[in-house]
Amino acid sequence: MRWLEQKDPETHLAIMQEVEREQDRLILIASENYVSPSILEAVGSVMTNKYAEGYPGRRYYSGCEAVDKVEELAIARAKTVFGAEHVNVQPHSGSQANMAVYLAAIRPGDTILGMNLSHGGHLTHGASVSFSGHYYKSVSYGVDPKTGLIDMDQVRSLAREHRPRIIIAGASSYPRTIDFAPFRAISDEVGATFLVDMAHISGLVAAGLHPSPFPVADYVTTSTHKTLRGPRGGMAFSREAHAKALDKAVFPMMQGGPLMHVVAGKAVMLREAMDPSFRDYMARVVDNCRVLAQTLTDGGYHLLTGGTDNHLLLIDLRPQGLTGRDAEQFLSQAGIFVNKNGVPFDDKPPTVTSGIRIGTPAATTRGLGQEEMRQVGLWIREILDSRGKAEVTQKIAAQVRELLSRFPIYGEIRRSGSATPR
């Protein structure tokens, strides 16, 4: 950071402002986390200099001996962590991992069956504004309006009617455990490939706290920066029978040279996930989320499905007469960051929404426990109950900063621009 401060003070200032924001603000966005200083070092390493199109031992450039080693490490560790037959660690994101599976398994114009974006799915599961809804015929399933749980009868009915070439399970805002076996049975019945997008729950799967999709799925994809607590990126897994098709889909069909500094970060991430402490961390994430959910429920807030089994929860704010956009703004003024989120059967646009999504991975990484999360729930209630009243948000903002001062992150970066272990 010293070099950057000297050579480009404007960029250095922006980075340091982000460091301070992360220290002084409570991050409750379910898709965000803090990487370790080891991962920061790997992603900021000289691996960024190397062009490495191809795969270990089969590159299109010379001088790839070191990057081959780091990619082989990432591959071996991913197979160990998840019990996978094959993995490609090169995708730049979870979305590109999904694209690679589509390129490997189906053709443009084929039918895909995925979870409705407004019910908790993801853009790449067939949303019209995504490539997945543009190049493929998209059919969407949703949740039961009474329970908020995935409507498996609807999944089965749509699959029988439309005969999709691929069925996608997985979500970006679904607070309950997903049972993958019924999806597998439906896929077999209609002759579909079965893909599980575990982007949000991959850390739980790695820790053995969510059923693994690997025994039943043909393909599995994930991002690496959510519950896995790694650098921003993706991975795509498959059965060995599909390995060649998947690798060809990633390179050369979808992308060129991999980001080898990010692959190095993924290798470190997977090493961290192999440590017994990672399971303890994920268990605390789930416990913290349940405590937060109960505190909000006790305050009269309506949680989708009535609670949570994983790292996130969804609040339907319609009973309070609030929008997700308003709630997001009120909370951010107090130094608490969540994201506005649509709820099933929402009548408001995605820029407004009727709900918010809250997650506990980042706060748990910092060391916050159940006592702190109970206090956080009380703060959220007070802020939203007051409709973001200035004196309330200002008071709580000071309390948030005081709490977080007891759980510092990246202290050495703030002092001298280099990382130190947590």
Side-chain angles (χ1 to χ4, degrees), residues 199-215:
H200 263 272
I201 58 171
S202 53
L204 291 164
V205 172
L209 298 175
H210 188 287
S212 172
F214 287 91

Side-chain angles (χ1 to χ4, degrees), residues 55-174:
Y55 294 100
R58 297 177 287 122
R59 305 288 190 184
Y60 287 80
Y61 291 82
S62 59
C64 289
E65 293 80 8
V67 294
D68 278 1
K69 288 180 181 178
V70 81
E71 186 166 344
E72 287 167 347
L73 273 175
I75 290 169
R77 290 171 179 176
K79 288 181 177 180
T80 298
V81 168
F82 293 105
E85 294 180 18
H86 177 73
V87 61
N88 190 304
V89 298
Q90 293 188 7
H92 299 335
S93 68
S95 293
Q96 286 185 269
N98 285 342
M99 179 183 283
V101 172
Y102 296 152
L103 290 172
I106 57 177
R107 298 175 64 85
D110 283 346
T111 299
I112 64 175
L113 175 59
M115 192 173 188
N116 191 312
L117 178 63
S118 66
H119 286 216
H122 189 260
L123 282 167
T124 57
H125 298 176
S128 60
V129 294
S130 162
F131 76 89
S132 59
H134 185 77
Y135 291 107
Y136 305 98
K137 180 183 177 183
S138 173
V139 179
S140 297
Y141 61 86
V143 300
D144 183 285
K146 294 181 179 179
T147 66
L149 302 176
I150 294 172
D151 187 342
M152 291 307 302
D153 290 336
Q154 184 186 48
V155 177
R156 186 176 297 104
S157 175
L158 290 171
R160 288 172 176 172
E161 177 183 356
H162 296 279
R163 314 298 290 189
R165 290 292 307 278
I166 195 165
I167 295 176
I168 307 107
S172 62
S173 53
Y174 185 71

Side-chain angles (χ1 to χ4, degrees), residues 19 70 91 98 103 120 146 171 173 181-182 193 196 229 258 265 267 277 302 357:
V19 172
V70 81
N98 285 342
L103 290 172
K146 294 181 179 179
S173 53
T193 296
V196 172
R229 204 162 53 174
S277 64
H302 174 61
R357 183 182 68 165

Side-chain angles (χ1 to χ4, degrees), residues 364-382:
T364 307
T365 293
R366 293 191 70 155
L368 275 68
Q370 294 182 40
E371 180 180 348
E372 290 79 21
M373 295 313 299
R374 190 172 292 107
Q375 178 59 66
V376 169
L378 294 174
W379 284 336
I380 292 173
R381 285 165 43 179
E382 187 175 357

Side-chain angles (χ1 to χ4, degrees), residues 103-367:
L103 290 172
I106 57 177
R107 298 175 64 85
D110 283 346
T111 299
I112 64 175
L113 175 59
M115 192 173 188
N116 191 312
L117 178 63
S118 66
H119 286 216
H122 189 260
L123 282 167
T124 57
H125 298 176
S128 60
V129 294
S130 162
F131 76 89
S132 59
H134 185 77
Y135 291 107
Y136 305 98
K137 180 183 177 183
S138 173
V139 179
S140 297
Y141 61 86
V143 300
D144 183 285
K146 294 181 179 179
T147 66
L149 302 176
I150 294 172
D151 187 342
M152 291 307 302
D153 290 336
Q154 184 186 48
V155 177
R156 186 176 297 104
S157 175
L158 290 171
R160 288 172 176 172
E161 177 183 356
H162 296 279
R163 314 298 290 189
R165 290 292 307 278
I166 195 165
I167 295 176
I168 307 107
S172 62
S173 53
Y174 185 71
R176 293 299 184 179
T177 298
I178 300 176
D179 184 359
F180 299 119
F183 283 97
R184 173 78 264 175
I186 294 169
S187 298
D188 288 342
E189 180 183 340
V190 301
T193 296
F194 180 33
L195 162 65
V196 172
D197 179 347
M198 64 171 187
H200 263 272
I201 58 171
S202 53
L204 291 164
V205 172
L209 298 175
H210 188 287
S212 172
F214 287 91
V216 295
D218 298 301
Y219 294 90
V220 178
T221 59
T222 186
S223 55
T224 51
H225 51 272
K226 299 183 177 78
T227 51
L228 273 179
R229 204 162 53 174
R232 302 193 71 82
M235 297 189 293
F237 301 82
S238 73
R239 296 188 183 279
E240 190 61 41
H242 308 310
K244 290 183 179 180
L246 179 61
D247 286 349
K248 182 180 178 181
V250 174
F251 173 82
M253 290 181 72
M254 185 184 68
Q255 61 189 41
L259 308 176
M260 291 310 304
H261 55 302
V262 178
V263 172
K266 293 174 188 176
V268 178
M269 168 199 77
L270 290 159
R271 174 64 184 84
E272 292 175 353
M274 295 167 69
D275 192 283
S277 64
F278 184 78
R279 188 187 189 284
D280 295 338
Y281 159 69
M282 286 309 314
R284 292 195 303 274
V285 168
V286 174
D287 289 342
N288 281 347
C289 202
R290 287 174 175 161
V291 167
L292 181 57
Q294 187 61 57
T295 305
L296 293 167
T297 299
D298 291 345
Y301 284 84
H302 174 61
L303 272 58
L304 272 296
T305 76
T308 179
D309 296 326
N310 56 30
H311 65 297
L312 64 82
L313 58 87
L314 290 160
I315 305 178
D316 184 347
L317 294 166
R318 288 176 291 191
Q320 279 73 32
L322 288 171
T323 68
R325 181 172 62 188
D326 288 341
E328 180 185 79
Q329 292 174 351
F330 296 156
L331 292 167
S332 68
Q333 290 164 7
I336 299 173
F337 286 83
V338 304
N339 65 276
K340 57 182 173 293
N341 207 94
V343 297
F345 313 103
D346 205 332
D347 60 352
K348 294 182 175 61
T351 55
V352 179
T353 77
S354 295
I356 53 174
R357 183 182 68 165
I358 303 177
T360 53
T364 307
T365 293
R366 293 191 70 155

